[in-house]
Amino acid sequence: REEAYPLTVINRFVDLLFMTDLVLNFFTAFYDVNIGKWEFNQKAIADHYVRSWFTMDLLSTLPYDMLTYVTSGLGGLKILRFLRILKLTKLLRMLRAGRIFD
């Protein structure tokens, strides 16, 4: 479908931004409230990220529009509903990003 092409390009760009953010979060220091200091240790940063937002971030980087297109040919209505629900993770992630910039 030719009319959907611009939207596909925008979706891939957004997915690329989310993937970049996912990688950068493994290297971004965080404030450890237990010790009252910023944590700069790479292993501690990665552990903290994996235990906190990593799953949500990973789910939000999946190209659901492409998965929907692939599964629609299989007739998997339940799969399509599940993928639509998972698309909400992108919205939640954007809301989280909005809170950071406030």
Side-chain angles (χ1 to χ4, degrees):
R1 296 185 331 207
E2 200 169 300
E3 67 275 359
Y5 179 72
L7 187 56
T8 301
V9 171
I10 292 169
N11 281 335
R12 293 298 74 77
F13 181 71
V14 170
D15 290 340
L16 179 64
L17 289 176
F18 279 169
M19 286 180 216
T20 303
D21 181 59
L22 185 137
V23 171
L24 289 176
N25 275 307
F26 279 103
F27 302 98
T28 305
F30 68 95
Y31 188 76
D32 189 339
V33 294
N34 295 325
I35 61 173
K37 294 183 180 179
W38 285 92
E39 181 62 68
F40 293 98
N41 178 285
Q42 178 63 46
K43 183 174 177 357
I45 292 170
D47 287 344
H48 179 263
Y49 180 52
V50 167
R51 285 185 278 111
S52 60
W53 284 95
F54 176 72
T55 303
M56 174 82 70
D57 290 351
L58 181 63
L59 289 173
S60 69
T61 61
L62 297 175
Y64 294 110
D65 56 328
M66 294 188 74
L67 292 172
T68 302
Y69 178 74
V70 170
T71 58
S72 65
L74 301 174
L77 190 57
K78 288 183 181 181
I79 294 172
L80 289 175
R81 282 190 207 137
F82 179 70
L83 290 175
R84 286 185 186 140
I85 290 170
L86 286 179
K87 284 172 72 173
L88 290 174
T89 60
K90 278 191 178 182
L91 178 61
L92 292 172
R93 186 158 185 218
M94 287 188 265
L95 290 173
R96 178 183 76 136
R99 275 195 338 241
I100 292 171
F101 291 117
D102 282 346

